[in-house]
Amino acid sequence: MNSVVTSSAPPPPEARNPHPASASPPETRNPHPASASPPEPKPSSRPVSDEAKYTTLHSPRLLLTHLRTDCYAHAEFICRLFNAPFSLAFNGSNAGVNTPSDAAERIKIYDVQRSTVGLGTFAVYLKSELPMDGGAKSEEQGLDIDKARPIGSVNIVIGSHVKYPDVGFNFLEEYTGKGYASEAVRTVIDWAMGESVGYGGVLSLTHPDNGPARALIKRVGMVERGTRGIKVYGTERAAVVYAMAGMTGELEEWGVHEEVELR
C-alpha cells in the first residue's frame, strides 16, 4: 500500500526489529497498543525528542499521527479503547486505565518510544471524518487533534533485547471489518521498513484465539514463525509470533526467546 510520510525526525539507528500487537473482533487488534506498556527501547545515538519529531503518515483513506501527551482527545480515546469489551476480552485487564487522566499517563509511557528511537504509537483518523478548516489545503493542515476523533491506534515499538520492532493495533469495534486496520498497519510497516526509518523487518505477537487479528497480520504480508510464552500484567499466556515474509534467521537470533514480558 502506498503511503506518504511527513516528518522532520532523523532516522533512528540502523537495522533491527520485532514485538506485540493487539486483537479483537473483526480485524481489531493483537496485543500491545492498547494493552501492555511498551518495552524499554534500544538506546539511540540519535535522540529524536522535541516538537518537530512527531510524524504524520498518509494512506488513501487514513491519516495517522503520533499520540500527543498534551491532547485530551487522545487521552479520552485511549481510555475508551482500553475499556472496550473486545480489549478486555483479549488483554484481561484495562491496565488501570479508568479515566482520561490514567490514559494520559499511559500515553507518556508510549511516547518514550517516539522520543528515544523515533517509533511509537499512532492515532488513526478517517480522512472523510476530519473536521477541516475552510482554508486548509490538505488533511494534515486541516487536522485539529482536539476536535478530530481517532478510530483506532497502531503502535510499533522495539525492546532493548530484540533486533526488530513489533507492530500492534487496536480499533474501535464500529470501524472494524472495513479494511481500515489493514490499511493502517500496512502504512506503519512500510514507514518502519522504508528509507527514512530503515528497519530490516517487523514482527507481531498475536493472541492464539484472535482469529481476525491473525488473518489481518497475514494480509499485510506476515508469516507465522512460532509460538512463545508472554506475560501481560502478570498473566502468562501463549502468543503466536509473526514476521514479515522474507525475513531470515530464527526467533532466538532476533532476541525473541521463550518468554516475553509485557508490563
Side-chain angles (χ1 to χ4, degrees):
M1 179 179 303
N2 295 324
S3 59
V4 178
V5 182
T6 304
S7 174
S8 55
E14 316 286 303
R16 327 163 300 195
N17 298 269
H19 246 2
S22 323
S24 91
E27 66 164 28
T28 309
R29 4 171 312 197
N30 264 176
H32 210 53
S35 62
S37 302
E40 289 295 317
K42 284 195 172 186
S44 171
S45 58
R46 302 178 185 148
V48 287
S49 57
D50 88 49
E51 176 69 17
K53 307 311 187 288
Y54 286 90
T55 297
T56 299
L57 307 176
H58 295 265
S59 69
R61 297 180 296 173
L62 307 171
L63 182 148
L64 298 80
T65 186
H66 274 121
L67 287 176
R68 300 289 293 257
T69 58
D70 58 352
C71 178
Y72 186 76
H74 283 176
E76 279 190 317
F77 168 69
I78 290 299
C79 184
R80 180 183 176 189
L81 206 57
F82 270 60
N83 288 281
F86 54 79
S87 294
L88 296 172
F90 284 100
N91 294 327
S93 164
N94 70 353
V97 177
N98 298 301
T99 67
S101 294
D102 296 333
E105 293 304 310
R106 176 63 53 170
I107 291 173
K108 289 179 183 178
I109 295 172
Y110 291 155
D111 197 54
V112 172
Q113 286 274 328
R114 178 200 63 81
S115 64
T116 56
V117 295
L119 297 175
T121 304
F122 291 85
V124 181
Y125 298 92
L126 192 58
K127 288 181 178 179
S128 62
E129 293 184 357
L130 291 180
M132 295 289 289
D133 293 334
K137 296 180 180 179
S138 69
E139 292 92 352
E140 185 179 348
Q141 290 180 349
L143 175 63
D144 183 340
I145 60 172
D146 293 315
K147 295 180 181 178
R149 292 293 177 261
I151 66 170
S153 69
V154 177
N155 78 339
I156 185 158
V157 300
I158 189 164
S160 59
H161 61 294
V162 296
K163 185 178 181 182
Y164 301 106
D166 163 68
V167 67
F169 53 97
N170 196 346
F171 277 68
L172 295 174
E173 193 166 5
E174 58 265 38
Y175 290 97
T176 63
K178 300 176 174 63
Y180 298 140
S182 299
E183 187 172 329
V185 171
R186 180 72 260 182
T187 298
V188 170
I189 290 174
D190 287 349
W191 168 71
M193 295 182 65
E195 190 172 326
S196 64
V197 180
Y199 284 93
V202 172
L203 304 180
S204 185
L205 274 67
T206 306
H207 195 296
D209 297 333
N210 192 343
R214 295 180 66 177
L216 183 153
I217 288 301
K218 292 177 182 177
R219 284 199 298 276
V220 300
M222 289 189 166
V223 294
E224 186 175 336
R225 296 297 296 266
T227 301
R228 291 291 183 270
I230 65 172
K231 183 181 289 186
V232 183
Y233 308 136
T235 301
E236 297 182 0
R237 64 171 174 80
V240 182
V241 183
Y242 288 87
M244 291 302 295
M247 289 174 59
T248 59
E250 301 299 326
L251 295 182
E252 286 70 23
E253 296 175 48
W254 301 337
V256 183
H257 301 291
E258 287 302 321
E259 292 188 4
V260 178
E261 183 167 1
L262 308 178
R263 295 164 296 164

